[in-house]
Amino acid sequence: QQQVKQSPQSLIVQKGGISIINCAYENTAFDYFPWYQQFPGKGPALLIAIRPDVSEKKEGRFTISFNKSAKQFSLHIMDSQPGDSATYFCAASRWGKLQFGAGTQVVVTP
Amino acid sequence: DSGVTQTPKHLITATGQRVTLRCSPRSGDLSVYWYQQSLDQGLQFLIQYYNGEERAKGNILERFSAQQFPDLHSELNLSSLELGDSALYFCASSAHPGQASGANVLTFGAGSRLTVL
């Protein structure tokens, strides 16, 4: 039973475009929502994170939007670059135990 | 380099065998987590240790066991291996055991790829 549902499974975006990845969760006890980025042959690395008392957080070209009432959150990658091609995982945490979404493979074409 | 060291990077073994994966956490981190990543299951939390003590347990099979030693390195033991155990096994570390509310930033190693033939 997956506690965090992530979509789409994959997406292709042109350079300069916007990538949007969506996640939904069930457990309202989750109190920390990070996004991890994983390149082939590497472990996941923290990209950006948000707490449920904040509706939006922006770091450079990456923005998290959080909708507590809908139990949904999303990652927006603005001005996507070929170097952003990777697998992105959303996660939800309680007591430090991360529940990951299934991942989204993003391919940015030149 | 994330600071979390995992060995071996690759391991090929046969069904029924036993293997041990090793993890050294980032300097100063007391908590170690093990995750399994397979194509059809994504990243699955297996187990967490904090300062030598088991802290949380996830979907870890009874054939699997782990421990964290006084020097804080951790080992994941996989026994009676089956074809379905083929996966990437990640170790992650964090400074804290996890708090009721707040961020707990996990730093992942590069993983150990296990292939069971």
Side-chain angles (χ1 to χ4, degrees):
Chain A
Q1 178 184 354
Q2 196 162 29
Q3 294 194 42
V4 181
K5 295 185 179 179
Q6 183 173 346
S7 63
Q9 192 172 8
S10 62
L11 68 91
I12 300 173
V13 62
Q14 284 192 329
K15 179 182 175 181
I18 302 174
S19 304
I20 302 175
I21 306 169
N22 300 300
C23 285
Y25 63 97
E26 292 295 326
N27 188 348
T28 55
F30 288 135
D31 56 18
Y32 175 63
F33 300 87
W35 285 87
Y36 280 77
Q37 180 188 53
Q38 184 180 25
F39 294 105
K42 304 286 187 181
L46 179 65
L47 182 64
I48 186 174
I50 197 168
R51 299 188 188 194
D53 54 348
V54 176
S55 61
E56 184 175 283
K57 183 174 181 180
K58 183 176 180 179
E59 288 184 2
R61 296 183 294 105
F62 300 91
T63 300
I64 300 177
S65 297
F66 190 86
N67 186 329
K68 188 174 182 178
S69 60
K71 294 186 286 185
Q72 295 176 346
F73 58 112
S74 60
L75 176 69
H76 294 232
I77 307 174
M78 314 299 288
D79 187 26
S80 296
Q81 300 297 310
D84 297 331
S85 296
T87 300
Y88 294 81
F89 293 93
C90 63
S93 173
R94 174 73 174 168
W95 289 105
K97 191 176 83 172
L98 285 173
Q99 296 286 346
F100 283 91
T104 297
Q105 185 173 22
V106 174
V107 174
V108 182
T109 60
Chain B
D1 184 3
S2 67
V4 177
T5 303
Q6 289 189 246
T7 57
K9 292 192 186 312
H10 302 277
L11 190 55
I12 301 174
T13 189
T15 54
Q17 294 299 303
R18 171 190 171 95
V19 299
T20 297
L21 309 180
R22 182 188 169 101
C23 169
S24 293
R26 200 177 56 158
S27 178
D29 285 354
L30 299 179
S31 207
V32 169
Y33 306 76
W34 286 98
Y35 282 83
Q36 180 191 57
Q37 185 177 39
S38 56
L39 284 175
D40 58 344
Q41 292 291 322
L43 274 163
Q44 297 290 317
F45 169 70
L46 296 178
I47 197 164
Q48 177 202 356
Y49 282 83
Y50 175 72
N51 206 19
E53 299 290 326
E54 183 182 303
R55 183 79 179 191
K57 220 167 186 176
N59 302 320
I60 188 166
L61 299 172
E62 287 190 10
R63 300 183 287 109
F64 297 180
S65 65
Q67 55 184 324
Q68 186 180 27
F69 294 87
D71 67 352
L72 302 178
H73 90 272
S74 178
E75 292 181 356
L76 178 67
N77 300 296
L78 315 174
S79 61
S80 302
L81 285 168
E82 302 175 358
L83 295 177
D85 298 328
S86 295
L88 263 171
Y89 291 85
F90 285 105
C91 170
S93 70
S94 70
H96 305 291
Q99 302 168 37
S101 62
N104 187 33
V105 179
L106 269 60
T107 302
F108 282 80
S112 292
R113 181 175 292 281
L114 173 66
T115 302
V116 182
L117 301 176

